Amino acid sequence: MCGVVGIVSRRPVNQQIYDALLALQHRGQDAAGIVTGDGNRLYLRKDNGLVREVFEPRHMQRLRGNVGIGHVRYPTAGSSSAAEAQPMYVNSPYGISLAHNGNLTNAAELEDDVFRADLRHVNTNSDSEILLNVLAHELQKIGAQEPRPEHVLDAVEGVHRRCRGAYGAVAMVRGFGIVAVRDPHGIRPLAYGVRETVRGTEHMVASESNAIDILGFDFVRDVAPGEAICITEAGEVEARVCAPPATHSPCIFEHVYLAREDSILDGVSVYKARLRMGEHLAERILAEWGTKHDIDVVIPIPESSRTSAIPLAYALNVKFREGFVKNRYIGRTFIMPGQKQRQRSVQQKLNAIDLEFAGKNVLLVEDSIVRGTTTGQIVRQARAAGANKVFMAVAAPPVRYPNVYGIDMPASHELVAFNRTEEQIAERIGVDGLVYQNVDDLVASAAEGNPALTHFDCSVFDGDYVTGDIDDDYLTRLSMVRSDRMKQKREADRAGMVRTAIDLHNVDA
């Protein structure tokens, strides 16, 4: 899960892209980057850290030009090194930069192909660099001295023929403009907007519509599955569906957790989808526990679950209360790279208000449970605050399978729901009762907002991977890089390399 933005403006874009990345910060807190262009020159700044940490005034002043793209990153399988921050750049042909949200499921095969057939070198473990080199090679094959929109769109057709998986990407070609590309299944979101000014029309693409709204652009539409939209530096727009028809299958987890509530994804309000999740979850609680449940109060676990908890409390006819105070300066624990960091962050992020728990039977509402360790910590906080009983309602079904389309869900054996019943999960996280949403109700919560959507990617819940190229061998290989143990080893190796470099420097000095 990352956030991308691209803007073609009539004025400098550095501050506009910065503001858009702030609006997309929830999609990635590991690294941030911006590249801009003023004709023949490109200007790049990227590094590890939050947007406000990466860009100082001196960096912003150097990002000149009226065209640019930006990225906020969190790593899926790769490391957290600054070398893998985006946008990424290749100088041939033309000079191309790319920002990518998603994951290529055939990245290993493509990397070999890029080296042996395309004679290109990939210098990181990032599949985004592979995607960039595939696009560059497809453009190079066309051989135009100066690319035109039809050349870029033809190149995107080549990208779709070669790449599988999920990608919502935006690329900037020096002297041309930008191109926004969405995978044929539309798994990852991508939105397009315009703004009319006295100087002319300005154009913007972003991972979510909230960024378009915040910058004062008018949301026009979502980029269609398999579509590419070219926007030249002169503001000319040309779009084409560049891939054969495929089942439109947006990621349902965007509505559960990833996206901001003020976004519209594929015609569906994230806010209203979460309201409906709460209504369906209440129906499930009443069906399983009846109207004589002994719940005294409903308390959401901030932030994503609050919207679902409100209609749930109303339907159960019990009080809704805010029982946790959140430190808003601590990042989202789900997208932190190590288990120790996640656990420490939970302790710093949430603090219970004792009077809302003391002597009460409390129903905690969570958007989803992945590993279960941080959820267990929150349950222990509730008991320490004096709760008599602690129940848990989850707005999503049990997460039993890893995500392969750009969300850093851990290896299967690290998922709390893997090979466990709901009763066993309840025991493991320490609650007196546990109710999950079912998949059909979750899909209905989102689909009601757009009847044209008939299918969603629910692979983390049902194991049905919509691209059709995922088998047990792939998942086994994935687990080897996704597990916390392997992440800790990579971070330790990287720290050792840094210490060695410092020691060598001191010796030389």
Side-chain angles (χ1 to χ4, degrees):
M1 181 187 74
C2 299
V4 305
V5 60
I7 297 178
V8 175
S9 185
R10 301 293 180 175
R11 52 183 171 157
V13 294
N14 52 354
Q15 187 65 51
Q16 298 179 67
I17 295 177
Y18 179 94
D19 293 342
L21 293 182
L22 286 178
L24 297 171
Q25 185 75 85
H26 60 284
R27 300 189 67 86
Q29 301 166 6
D30 184 70
I34 296 174
V35 61
T36 62
D38 63 354
N40 289 326
R41 290 292 302 272
L42 301 180
Y43 306 92
L44 172 65
R45 167 63 183 171
K46 62 178 182 177
D47 203 352
N48 283 352
L50 300 172
V51 174
R52 68 174 184 269
E53 298 167 342
V54 171
F55 302 102
E56 299 177 10
R58 60 191 175 94
H59 302 129
M60 296 296 290
Q61 291 168 6
R62 296 170 187 163
L63 293 170
R64 298 192 290 270
N66 295 353
V67 180
I69 64 175
H71 188 268
V72 287
R73 174 183 186 263
Y74 97 118
T76 49
S79 72
S80 298
S81 70
E84 296 191 4
Q86 298 183 40
M88 290 186 167
Y89 170 78
V90 291
N91 68 344
S92 178
Y94 314 120
I96 306 171
S97 301
L98 179 136
H100 167 221
N101 171 37
N103 182 60
L104 301 182
T105 55
N106 64 334
E109 169 191 328
L110 277 173
E111 182 175 4
D112 186 67
D113 192 41
V114 161
F115 177 72
R116 296 184 183 279
D118 299 355
L119 303 181
R120 289 178 170 272
H121 173 64
V122 175
N123 201 46
T124 69
N125 294 320
S126 172
D127 62 327
S128 302
E129 187 182 9
I130 297 171
L131 179 63
L132 169 60
N133 276 278
V134 171
L135 173 62
H137 181 72
E138 294 300 321
L139 268 172
Q140 193 159 355
K141 285 197 308 184
I142 293 170
Q145 189 70 31
E146 294 291 337
R148 297 194 300 271
E150 60 267 27
H151 300 142
V152 177
L153 294 171
D154 288 346
V156 172
E157 289 189 359
V159 170
H160 286 317
R161 284 193 297 268
R162 297 175 63 181
C163 296
R164 298 195 302 270
Y167 43 97
V170 57
M172 184 171 72
V173 181
R174 180 206 56 81
F176 168 80
I178 67 174
V179 57
V181 182
R182 194 176 184 192
D183 66 83
H185 290 277
I187 299 171
R188 299 266 70 89
L190 200 59
Y192 167 62
V194 299
R195 178 172 59 194
E196 300 298 336
T197 72
V198 294
R199 300 176 182 176
T201 304
E202 300 177 330
H203 305 266
M204 177 177 178
V205 291
S207 290
E208 293 184 37
S209 65
N210 75 299
I212 291 174
D213 296 337
I214 288 170
L215 265 68
F217 284 73
D218 294 320
F219 171 70
V220 175
R221 62 181 179 87
D222 296 283
V223 179
E227 185 182 28
I229 299 179
C230 282
I231 307 165
T232 69
E233 291 183 351
E236 299 168 347
V237 179
E238 189 168 332
R240 183 198 303 172
V241 175
C242 300
T247 304
H248 187 187
S249 305
C251 175
I252 195 73
F253 211 74
E254 292 278 355
H255 292 283
V256 171
Y257 175 82
L258 301 182
R260 261 180 49 158
E261 290 184 327
D262 50 346
S263 288
I264 307 290
L265 305 181
D266 292 302
V268 179
S269 163
V270 175
Y271 173 73
K272 288 194 173 182
R274 288 178 185 167
L275 286 175
R276 291 188 286 265
M277 289 176 202
E279 294 167 354
H280 284 295
L281 190 54
E283 293 171 1
R284 190 164 177 81
I285 290 172
L286 292 172
E288 293 194 11
W289 295 352
T291 57
K292 297 187 181 298
H293 59 75
D294 55 352
I295 299 167
D296 297 319
V297 62
V298 170
I299 295 178
I301 298 174
E303 296 272 354
S304 308
S305 63
R306 180 178 291 114
T307 306
S308 296
I310 294 171
L312 186 153
Y314 179 82
L316 297 183
N317 196 28
V318 298
K319 295 177 181 178
F320 171 90
R321 290 290 186 267
E322 295 284 357
F324 293 101
V325 175
K326 179 182 178 181
N327 183 341
R328 298 178 185 275
Y329 300 96
I330 303 295
R332 300 179 87 178
T333 55
F334 175 77
I335 60 177
M336 288 186 172
Q339 184 58 34
K340 287 185 179 179
Q341 285 179 265
R342 287 187 292 269
Q343 290 175 336
R344 185 168 60 251
S345 179
V346 170
Q347 294 165 359
Q348 296 169 338
K349 183 171 73 169
L350 295 179
N351 191 42
I353 302 173
D354 290 2
L355 62 87
E356 294 296 352
F357 291 90
K360 299 176 183 177
N361 297 334
V362 177
L363 176 66
L364 299 180
V365 181
E366 182 63 290
D367 51 66
S368 57
I369 302 177
V370 181
R371 294 167 177 85
T373 48
T374 53
T375 305
Q377 284 184 275
I378 293 169
V379 172
R380 289 191 290 274
Q381 276 194 36
R383 293 198 186 280
N388 181 33
K389 291 182 180 180
V390 180
F391 306 106
M392 178 76 70
V394 189
V399 176
R400 301 189 187 278
Y401 305 90
N403 184 279
V404 302
Y405 300 127
I407 306 174
D408 188 23
M409 291 197 175
S412 296
H413 65 274
E414 293 177 344
L415 298 169
V416 70
F418 181 69
N419 283 342
R420 290 190 180 96
T421 65
E422 293 186 16
E423 291 76 15
Q424 291 171 327
I425 299 168
E427 182 179 355
R428 190 171 181 87
I429 64 176
V431 293
D432 299 291
L434 174 65
V435 173
Y436 276 102
Q437 189 87 264
N438 65 43
V439 174
D440 289 343
D441 286 343
L442 177 63
V443 169
S445 298
E448 187 176 330
N450 181 2
L453 282 175
T454 59
H455 194 272
F456 288 84
D457 170 58
C458 302
S459 53
V460 298
F461 308 122
D462 60 16
D464 180 14
Y465 296 98
V466 297
T467 52
D469 57 345
I470 306 303
D471 56 21
D472 290 341
D473 288 342
Y474 183 96
L475 295 176
T476 298
R477 292 193 301 272
L478 188 69
S479 69
M480 295 176 66
V481 272
R482 285 275 184 92
S483 69
D484 279 336
R485 178 182 170 188
M486 290 303 299
K487 288 179 182 177
Q488 291 163 5
K489 182 179 184 303
R490 285 195 297 272
E491 292 302 313
D493 290 345
R494 189 163 68 93
M497 291 172 63
V498 172
R499 286 194 298 269
T500 300
I502 293 172
D503 291 343
L504 288 172
H505 173 77
N506 291 336
V507 169
D508 290 342

